[in-house]
Amino acid sequence: MLRRTIYVILGLLLMSGAYAQERYTISGYVTDAESGERLIGAAVYDTISHQGTVTNTAGFYSLTLTNTAHCALVASYVGYAPSKPYIANQDRTHHFVLSSTTKLQEVTVTGHQSVSAPDNVQMSAIEVPVTQILAIPALGGEVDVLKAIQLLPGVQASGEGSAGLYVRGGGPDENLITLDGAPLYNINHAMGMFSVFNADAIKNVTLYKGNFPARFGSRLSSVIDVRQKEGNNTFWHGGISVGLISSKLNLEGPIFGKAQLDSLKQGYSPRAKTTFNISARRTYFDAFMAPLVHALSTREGGTTSVWPGYYFYDINAKLSHTFSDKDRITVGLYNGADVEYVYIKENEDRYDRSQMNMHYSWGNTLAAVDWQHTINHQLFLNTRVHYSGYYCHLNQSMNVVNGSPDEEGTTFDQRMSYGSMIHDVSVSSHLEYSPNQRHRVLAGIEYTYHHFRPSVQNHFMLSGSDTTDVVLKEDTTLGGDVLHGHEVAAYIEDTWTPTKWFRLNYGARFSMYGINGKVYPSAEPRIGMRFLLHKDVALKLSYSYMSQYVHLLSNSQVSMPSDLWVPVTKNIPPMRSMQVAGGVSYNICNQVELSVEGYYKRSLNLLEYKEGASFMGYTGDWQQQVEVGNGWSYGVELLVQRKVGPVTGWIGYTWSRSMRQFDNINEGKPFHAKYDREHDLSITLQYQITPRFDVAGTWVYGTGSRGTLVTQEYWDNQAGIWATYYNERNGYQMPDYHRLDLAMNFHFPHKRSEKGSKGKETGYYGRGGWLRNAEHILNISCYNVYCRMNPVYIEQEMSSGKLYQVSIFPVLPSISYYFKF
Amino acid sequence: MKRSVLHITIALLLSLVITGCEDIFIRELDFKSDGEPEMLVLSANNRVGLRPNVLLYHSFYFGHAHSQADKGIIKDAEVTVRINSTEWHLNDSTQLPRLQALDTVEVIATHPDYPTVTAHQVMPNKASAHVVSWTIRPNYWMDIVLEIDPYVGNQDDVVGVLFNSGSLNLYKGEKKVKNFQFSGLYSTDVVFAEVLNMSAEGYYCTKINEPLFLPSSALQQPLQIHLIADCPWGMDNKNNYTKATLSSLNLEICAYTYDTYLYWQSKRLATDMQYYMGPPSGIGNAKENVLEDILEDLRNMLGEQEPVRMHTNVQGGLGYLNGYSSTAVSIKP
């Protein structure tokens, strides 16, 4: 299989040599005129030969042309005015600089599609402009990247207010979510209500649901590729926002060298070689709540003081330095965590006192260093080293002292901790080769070291008295086995355009995972093809085979810190999936894209908890708690999307099914996956009414989530208990879910910037001073406008035989203020 | 204009807040039965050497409230017991034969209001064992070496070691001051790891009505197992015990059908969440109470337990037809 695939790829590449004639290559970068940021996925197109390409994640393009004496290249990107044509007839390096249309035309927001969907061979992939994400109404006004992705067809939320994702019937652990190319394990804050992605720091988000390019692997169901902003290379910019839930700070700008500083003094605006972007976010619920609860608990001479709190924070940073036209290094950093604590102190009298502390924290740390090197006009190399770590620490302690002089004094000291952690270190190299206009080849190798410590518990107890000293002492560590995993992968893929109407993306990924002496190899063929039926209509087909070497064990539908990431073992094989998809893409008047896709996915070696299993307190091998089985899902997705114009947004509808079959669950009969919902509809619209006022709305509808309910109970005479009987796992479907959210954004230019600069004319912050383009943005949003009480979970009351739905979010208005400079 | 839009917006939002603050977070749902009928529940606990017994109940559909005292017992069902193809109708005057090892037992129960239920079971062979040695250690721990004889029967059967009772007499000087009842027996033998015995810190445990299982495939040859009984108060210096003697120790060696084993497991999971089991009580009851309470809180907060359905081998209904053999093993000083 492996050998045959290599032969096919080599053969096709050799065939490309037959076309080799007089040719030349134009390469370079496409950048934003104002910030100098490199644009990902921008189209570069020759208006004479009608050949084109798109920029990669570094903003680099390479276009080789043959049989044409001259070319006239134009670059375009959504939300930007197209560039002027660039004429060339030999090898050249040319950097395109695009200006945002919102800066050019204040009233009417126009723009151009970067690459029309019918032209692109890639299917099942959606790019969501960050500008749209920022405008979408959000819970508590907290804009969230992943919640915007939940609104796309084929993607379902795990529950009310949750940022969890279920893509095409896959579980939340089947999504590869990367930040600057490095995977993040925990993507949620506040038990899934918010994602870890601070929208202020994000430059680009792309979702792949199928037809996975060979460069992506390690997960079955989706890839969400998130890229951080690199920072403006001319001016310092930033923003401060204050919302009901969190406050955010963002700062970006150039770091100038001496020559550039001299240039600045002379009144020029040089482009810096080094830029930075830093964003921070923190919630402050604890700052109000903890003192309030503490004051209430201690009022009127109360003996108990309670100090509870919860917060989360994120810090994103990116530093980039351009050595030359050919070399550039970027460093992406992320650190974020959730912290929850309760401190309880009780002083009955001067002799008896007790103290109980609970402190839970969990979070990620990530660092990614990329070296982007242009070898020549046709070869581009990106070498990356990254670290990604996740930890979860739960600590509890209790100290009780009874020391009355009339009695024997006693002390009791007890501490318990639970922890799990993952450390990944990876090195990879990715080569991009554009030998001619018919081929674009990507190849790469990756090595990742995984360090898992899935579960470690420590119990410490000391009990003593005045007379006997230590009565009881216990210090025990349970679990804590470290697992070392080694993952090696190599891939090659080629986008081949033999004719104008047919384009093929084919490739394969070969990976191996070794753990405790066991090695799992995998060959994963990928293929996607596009048939252009008309200049605006394309038929697309794809097949993807994927392997996954890690699993997420979770008892709950919401994201919990206790969710355990565990690797494959000798007994737990890798998950595999095969997905076929087909669809039609239609570009309507270059304004609206319509796509209809159908898919069928078969998944093998999925994990589910055994009946009765629960994560916490289990001190044995986690493998004894899980069952291995299979699943399949299928569905049809419709997407109508408009990215340009005063009214933008999309309508997404999904009809789907997702089933599971495990030999030892549900008597071996197939059952619905927890997140199997038949219908899912979302309408997301934004309307720029005036340059200073825009509105946005989202309406979502979905068939209810599933759960397992007791349907009968009976007296079990042998066990001496009332036994419960449920007819089917996940057999109960909750009421339908629907919700409307609205938001309004008012933009007020800062007075100083309106009336002209009063700041320094030149300086680090550029011509016009700090507040050159400053504006105030007031966001008023309302979550769940018509107060639909959607069920979060179902409670059964056995004594009364009643069933209740529990909801958590009624109508929730919010207001936030953002000062952007 | 802009100001008026803002005012209207704020007023609208405030009115919605008031609406949202109503007590609507918990709402009762209409739970339909989807036509699922109540079922017959068969309960038959059959032991080699005794006559078959059958009890019949009916299940209660969720949503039909009933008192805990009303167990739904059914007395007017027609019950047929078939032993090795010979059939008896169960009524007050019927005298069924005593069951023998490897007998095939089939039960059929019919009632006009419920679907007919059937169940069958092949009775396991006898398992046996003898005590090789037992010793009381100075720290009031008692070591027992038990040899289980080879099992000749269905290889799917599971052999269980079941603690029934046992105690130590504790002395201060020559005076007996306490009779300490053991709560269970513990073992670290890895043979118990081959089936789903719950362990904590490497200890496998049998308590009253909770057998310690091992697969019959491990009993092709005689197998010696090591059991520990402990007296946690022996560690307490305040009591100053000077001597301990065995009062008695009673065990059973049982052979269960594999169905019975599955039934035990589902019962453990449904009632005790036995994926977690505390460490041996010898290390301290106080610790068990405190930690288990905290763990229980954490379990409730951090993860739901997957639902457990009691294992049934009854077709057309619920309940369980059990089959086992038992041999008593006692240690007396």
Side-chain angles (χ1 to χ4, degrees):
Chain A
M1 179 68 186
L2 171 66
R3 191 179 296 172
R4 195 178 300 165
T5 309
I6 291 172
Y7 286 159
V8 169
I9 292 168
L10 287 176
L12 289 169
L13 284 175
L14 285 171
M15 280 169 63
S16 69
Y19 295 99
Q21 299 166 30
E22 199 68 31
R23 64 186 189 185
Y24 52 94
T25 304
I26 319 296
S27 64
Y29 294 93
V30 180
T31 57
D32 177 286
E34 193 191 11
S35 68
E37 287 261 2
R38 293 179 176 179
L39 300 174
I40 300 169
V44 179
Y45 187 72
D46 176 22
T47 53
I48 298 173
S49 66
H50 303 291
Q51 294 161 19
T53 187
V54 291
T55 56
N56 64 13
T57 53
F60 176 81
Y61 76 92
S62 170
L63 185 61
T64 300
L65 298 159
T66 55
N67 295 330
T68 175
H70 291 84
C71 69
L73 298 189
V74 174
S76 63
Y77 191 66
V78 65
Y80 288 77
S83 69
K84 290 177 182 170
Y86 173 73
I87 314 293
N89 59 1
Q90 56 183 305
D91 285 358
R92 280 278 187 271
T93 297
H94 179 72
H95 306 311
F96 287 100
V97 179
L98 302 184
S99 296
S100 167
T101 49
T102 52
K103 301 293 175 191
L104 297 174
Q105 302 171 31
E106 287 256 303
V107 178
T108 309
V109 179
T110 60
H112 296 262
Q113 301 283 9
S114 49
V115 180
S116 73
D119 191 47
N120 195 348
V121 66
Q122 179 71 51
M123 69 181 297
S124 306
I126 305 171
E127 187 180 326
V128 186
V130 174
T131 48
Q132 281 190 9
I133 292 172
L134 290 170
I136 290 172
L139 175 62
E142 198 67 29
V143 175
D144 201 295
V145 172
L146 295 188
K147 285 188 182 167
I149 287 176
Q150 287 174 352
L151 300 170
L152 298 171
V155 184
Q156 292 172 339
S158 58
E160 171 80 292
S162 170
L165 299 174
Y166 298 95
V167 182
R168 289 189 170 174
D173 59 338
E174 296 174 24
N175 307 314
L176 177 65
I177 299 173
T178 61
L179 186 64
D180 286 338
L184 273 171
Y185 282 95
N186 179 38
I187 55 157
N188 295 307
H189 286 306
M191 297 182 183
M193 280 192 219
F194 306 101
S195 80
V196 297
F197 298 110
N198 177 355
D200 287 353
I202 303 305
K203 171 182 173 181
N204 188 275
V205 182
T206 309
L207 164 73
Y208 298 86
K209 300 176 288 182
N211 187 23
F212 299 102
R215 61 185 179 276
F216 295 120
S218 305
R219 297 291 189 278
L220 300 190
S221 291
S222 80
V223 176
I224 298 170
D225 188 14
V226 182
R227 300 280 163 173
Q228 295 191 88
K229 282 182 192 167
E230 290 168 358
N232 193 302
N233 67 359
T234 306
F235 302 114
W236 281 36
H237 284 292
I240 298 168
S241 80
V242 181
L244 294 179
I245 292 173
S246 74
S247 279
K248 291 182 254 185
L249 173 70
N250 171 247
L251 196 61
E252 62 173 310
I255 300 173
F256 287 129
K258 186 175 182 306
Q260 290 160 321
L261 284 172
D262 292 342
S263 174
L264 270 174
K265 287 172 187 168
Q266 291 166 21
Y268 296 108
S269 298
R271 298 277 182 183
K273 290 189 171 183
T274 308
T275 62
F276 75 95
N277 180 58
I278 185 163
S279 300
R281 167 173 72 162
R282 191 195 188 280
T283 60
Y284 32 63
F285 185 66
D286 57 319
F288 305 113
M289 202 63 196
L292 181 67
V293 173
H294 181 256
L296 289 172
S297 66
T298 54
R299 68 178 178 176
E300 294 175 2
T303 58
T304 303
S305 98
V306 182
W307 189 270
Y310 168 79
Y311 66 90
F312 69 78
Y313 71 89
D314 297 296
I315 301 169
N316 295 71
K318 189 143 187 181
L319 189 70
S320 64
H321 180 75
T322 306
F323 292 93
S324 66
D325 266 0
K326 291 193 168 183
D327 290 289
R328 188 173 200 232
I329 282 185
T330 64
V331 181
L333 301 167
Y334 169 79
N335 178 257
D338 291 59
V339 179
E340 184 182 0
Y341 55 87
V342 183
Y343 306 128
I344 303 169
K345 198 182 276 187
E346 192 161 3
N347 296 306
E348 291 287 342
D349 53 45
R350 57 184 293 202
Y351 302 112
D352 297 336
R353 60 188 184 275
S354 65
Q355 186 169 335
M356 186 165 182
N357 297 332
M358 289 181 277
H359 191 276
Y360 307 154
S361 62
W362 58 98
N364 294 293
T365 301
L366 181 145
V369 180
D370 280 76
W371 171 41
Q372 297 156 3
H373 176 59
T374 308
I375 299 169
N376 58 39
H377 288 297
Q378 295 173 331
L379 278 171
F380 180 85
L381 180 72
N382 188 355
T383 301
R384 177 182 301 132
V385 177
H386 79 245
Y387 163 81
S388 179
Y390 167 71
Y391 71 91
C392 164
H393 294 148
L394 313 178
N395 296 299
Q396 291 194 158
S397 66
M398 185 160 59
N399 181 266
V400 182
V401 176
N402 300 112
S404 165
D406 304 330
E407 300 171 7
E408 184 182 10
T410 59
T411 61
F412 178 75
D413 188 10
Q414 178 267 325
R415 292 192 290 274
M416 195 200 80
S417 68
Y418 169 85
S420 71
M421 57 209 76
I422 306 169
H423 304 285
D424 279 6
V425 179
S426 176
V427 58
S428 60
S429 220
H430 310 269
L431 188 71
E432 196 172 314
Y433 177 45
S434 305
N436 55 49
Q437 77 274 27
R438 295 182 189 278
H439 288 274
R440 187 181 183 212
V441 181
L442 280 78
I445 50 171
E446 297 172 10
Y447 166 75
T448 307
Y449 165 67
H450 301 277
H451 175 107
F452 290 93
R453 203 173 186 195
S455 169
V456 55
Q457 294 180 45
N458 182 264
H459 303 153
F460 172 85
M461 191 176 69
L462 184 70
S463 181
S465 67
D466 291 347
T467 54
T468 59
D469 297 322
V470 174
V471 173
L472 204 55
K473 182 179 180 181
E474 173 64 20
D475 191 352
T476 311
T477 298
L478 305 171
D481 293 339
V482 174
L483 297 162
H484 306 275
H486 303 272
E487 186 174 359
V488 182
Y491 68 86
I492 183 164
E493 65 176 89
D494 179 27
T495 303
W496 180 37
T497 314
T499 69
K500 194 173 176 182
W501 60 270
F502 178 66
R503 183 172 285 170
L504 179 72
N505 177 276
Y506 59 99
R509 182 182 178 88
F510 311 100
S511 62
M512 279 198 298
Y513 195 94
I515 188 161
N516 288 351
K518 176 79 177 172
V519 176
Y520 289 103
S522 177
E524 303 164 25
R526 317 276 174 83
I527 190 163
M529 56 189 81
R530 179 223 63 180
F531 303 89
L532 202 59
L533 307 177
H534 173 270
K535 75 179 178 62
D536 289 324
V537 182
L539 171 69
K540 297 182 181 183
L541 301 169
S542 71
Y543 169 82
S544 298
Y545 184 94
M546 306 290 282
S547 296
Q548 180 170 335
Y549 302 105
V550 290
H551 307 269
L552 181 68
L553 300 180
S554 174
N555 275 108
S556 173
Q557 290 205 25
V558 296
S559 168
M560 302 298 288
S562 54
D563 295 350
L564 279 184
W565 281 98
V566 291
V568 295
T569 65
K570 286 181 180 175
N571 306 319
I572 307 290
M575 295 194 281
R576 316 272 191 193
S577 79
M578 290 142 285
Q579 185 181 160
V580 288
V584 175
S585 184
Y586 180 30
N587 185 6
I588 306 168
C589 303
N590 212 26
Q591 292 280 315
V592 176
E593 284 182 359
L594 185 151
S595 73
V596 181
E597 288 187 15
Y599 68 90
Y600 177 83
K601 184 163 71 176
R602 175 91 181 152
S603 304
L604 306 175
N605 306 328
L606 302 177
L607 288 194
E608 290 261 351
Y609 266 121
K610 285 181 175 175
E611 290 186 352
S614 176
F615 114 93
M616 192 64 193
Y618 180 60
T619 55
D621 187 351
W622 59 267
Q623 296 174 72
Q624 290 185 10
Q625 291 218 83
V626 297
E627 297 280 354
V628 179
N630 300 325
W632 60 94
S633 50
Y634 48 89
V636 178
E637 298 164 2
L638 168 74
L639 175 67
V640 182
Q641 187 178 22
R642 189 176 196 230
K643 290 182 183 176
V644 295
V647 178
T648 58
W650 65 84
I651 298 170
Y653 169 74
T654 309
W655 174 87
S656 64
R657 292 262 74 134
S658 182
M659 304 296 291
R660 298 285 182 269
Q661 192 272 321
F662 287 67
D663 289 345
N664 296 319
I665 296 177
N666 204 46
E667 298 175 336
K669 296 174 192 164
F671 58 93
H672 296 275
K674 263 184 201 172
Y675 30 85
D676 177 32
R677 289 183 223 154
E678 196 168 3
H679 303 284
D680 201 61
L681 173 69
S682 62
I683 300 171
T684 303
L685 293 174
Q686 295 155 244
Y687 181 30
Q688 182 87 42
I689 299 171
T690 71
R692 295 184 181 179
F693 180 55
D694 62 85
V695 294
T698 301
W699 186 72
V700 293
Y701 168 83
T703 314
S705 301
R706 291 188 166 272
T708 308
L709 286 190
V710 171
T711 54
Q712 303 204 42
E713 64 174 342
Y714 63 94
W715 174 248
D716 187 324
N717 191 54
Q718 293 183 54
I721 57 170
W722 281 98
T724 53
Y725 173 82
Y726 57 91
N727 62 356
E728 186 187 353
R729 181 172 275 213
N730 299 329
Y732 178 76
Q733 193 147 34
M734 295 185 199
D736 291 349
Y737 182 101
H738 53 90
R739 194 189 78 230
L740 174 69
D741 306 333
L742 293 174
M744 293 179 286
N745 288 298
F746 300 90
H747 301 253
F748 307 104
H750 189 69
K751 282 183 181 175
R752 218 179 241 189
S753 63
E754 265 190 330
K755 292 177 181 175
S757 166
K758 287 184 180 176
K760 293 173 82 174
E761 287 300 315
T762 59
Y764 282 108
Y765 26 83
R767 198 184 294 271
W770 287 89
L771 307 176
R772 181 174 159 269
N773 287 314
E775 67 172 337
H776 307 267
I777 303 168
L778 184 67
N779 171 277
I780 298 173
S781 61
C782 186
Y783 182 88
N784 197 4
V785 170
Y786 55 81
C787 199
R788 160 77 177 179
M789 296 312 289
N790 289 300
V792 176
Y793 63 91
I794 299 292
E795 279 185 354
Q796 271 187 296
E797 195 174 270
M798 299 301 294
S799 57
S800 65
K802 289 183 177 176
L803 188 69
Y804 298 95
Q805 76 161 40
V806 180
S807 310
I808 53 174
F809 293 129
V811 55
L812 286 174
S814 64
I815 187 165
S816 64
Y817 164 75
Y818 185 41
F819 177 59
K820 187 179 166 189
F821 58 87
Chain B
M1 170 64 186
K2 272 187 287 188
R3 188 170 293 175
S4 59
V5 169
L6 193 63
H7 290 165
I8 291 167
T9 306
I10 292 168
L12 180 67
L13 294 179
L14 281 174
S15 66
L16 289 170
V17 171
I18 294 162
T19 313
C21 287
E22 291 176 13
D23 183 20
I24 47 178
F25 291 94
I26 299 176
R27 184 162 64 89
E28 188 180 345
L29 292 174
D30 187 17
F31 186 46
K32 301 290 183 192
S33 68
D34 296 331
E36 186 175 299
E38 293 178 340
M39 290 186 276
L40 276 182
V41 180
L42 186 149
S43 177
N45 193 17
N46 291 332
R47 180 177 147 181
V48 171
L50 299 181
R51 295 188 171 86
N53 66 86
V54 177
L55 292 171
L56 278 172
Y57 302 84
H58 68 81
S59 64
F60 293 89
Y61 180 69
F62 177 77
H64 296 175
H66 61 92
S67 72
Q68 294 290 298
D70 178 11
K71 294 186 166 61
I73 193 157
I74 289 181
K75 296 179 179 173
D76 56 347
E78 190 172 315
V79 182
T80 304
V81 177
R82 204 175 285 156
I83 302 173
N84 300 329
S85 304
T86 308
E87 199 168 285
W88 285 268
H89 291 285
L90 198 67
N91 54 47
D92 291 340
S93 59
T94 304
Q95 182 76 350
L96 273 69
R98 291 179 190 276
L99 292 167
Q100 304 297 315
L102 306 179
D103 276 352
T104 299
V105 182
E106 188 174 2
V107 178
I108 301 149
T110 57
H111 189 279
D113 296 341
Y114 306 99
T116 298
V117 293
T118 61
H120 82 278
Q121 192 70 278
V122 178
M123 300 302 289
N125 214 334
K126 279 261 184 182
S128 57
H130 62 276
V131 176
V132 176
S133 64
W134 59 273
T135 314
I136 298 175
R137 302 287 180 194
N139 58 358
Y140 305 95
W141 285 52
M142 184 175 169
D143 287 348
I144 304 140
V145 180
L146 197 68
E147 185 168 290
I148 305 177
D149 301 324
Y151 180 74
V152 183
N154 189 337
Q155 287 304 294
D156 288 337
D157 291 347
V158 178
V159 173
V161 179
L162 180 61
F163 170 78
N164 276 341
S165 63
S167 61
L168 281 182
N169 292 321
L170 300 172
Y171 292 82
K172 282 186 180 176
E174 291 304 313
K175 187 181 176 189
K176 176 183 156 188
V177 292
K178 188 177 180 72
N179 180 257
F180 173 74
Q181 303 282 331
F182 295 125
S183 61
L185 298 176
Y186 303 91
S187 178
T188 55
D189 291 351
V190 291
V191 66
F192 294 115
E194 292 191 22
V195 285
L196 200 60
N197 290 308
M198 300 305 135
S199 73
E201 299 180 60
Y203 288 92
Y204 301 94
C205 176
T206 169
K207 294 182 177 179
I208 295 169
N209 292 329
E210 288 185 19
L212 196 49
F213 296 105
L214 66 156
S216 60
S217 58
L219 294 171
Q220 304 297 314
Q221 305 291 329
L223 177 73
Q224 284 197 357
I225 59 170
H226 300 79
L227 299 166
I228 301 164
D230 67 89
C231 170
W233 282 272
M235 296 169 67
D236 188 340
N237 294 331
K238 282 198 296 186
N239 289 317
N240 296 321
Y241 298 126
T242 54
K243 190 174 75 170
T245 59
L246 179 68
S247 173
S248 66
L249 189 68
N250 299 304
L251 302 170
E252 274 182 80
I253 303 299
C254 305
Y256 301 99
T257 60
Y258 190 69
D259 260 338
T260 309
Y261 166 71
L262 295 177
Y263 174 78
W264 273 100
Q265 292 305 321
S266 63
K267 181 201 161 191
R268 278 186 169 182
L269 294 173
T271 55
D272 302 331
M273 202 187 286
Q274 284 281 335
Y275 276 105
Y276 173 75
M277 190 181 76
S281 58
I283 294 178
N285 281 335
K287 176 186 165 182
E288 278 192 3
N289 296 336
V290 174
L291 279 180
E292 283 193 13
D293 286 351
I294 293 169
L295 286 172
E296 183 66 32
D297 291 346
L298 279 173
R299 268 195 291 270
N300 291 336
M301 191 183 76
L302 296 174
E304 304 154 4
Q305 187 191 16
E306 297 292 341
V308 180
R309 177 156 51 180
M310 289 293 288
H311 180 74
T312 177
N313 59 356
V314 176
Q315 285 78 50
L318 298 169
Y320 188 65
L321 169 60
N322 187 7
Y324 74 105
S325 67
S326 171
T327 307
V329 177
S330 294
I331 304 175
K332 288 204 165 75

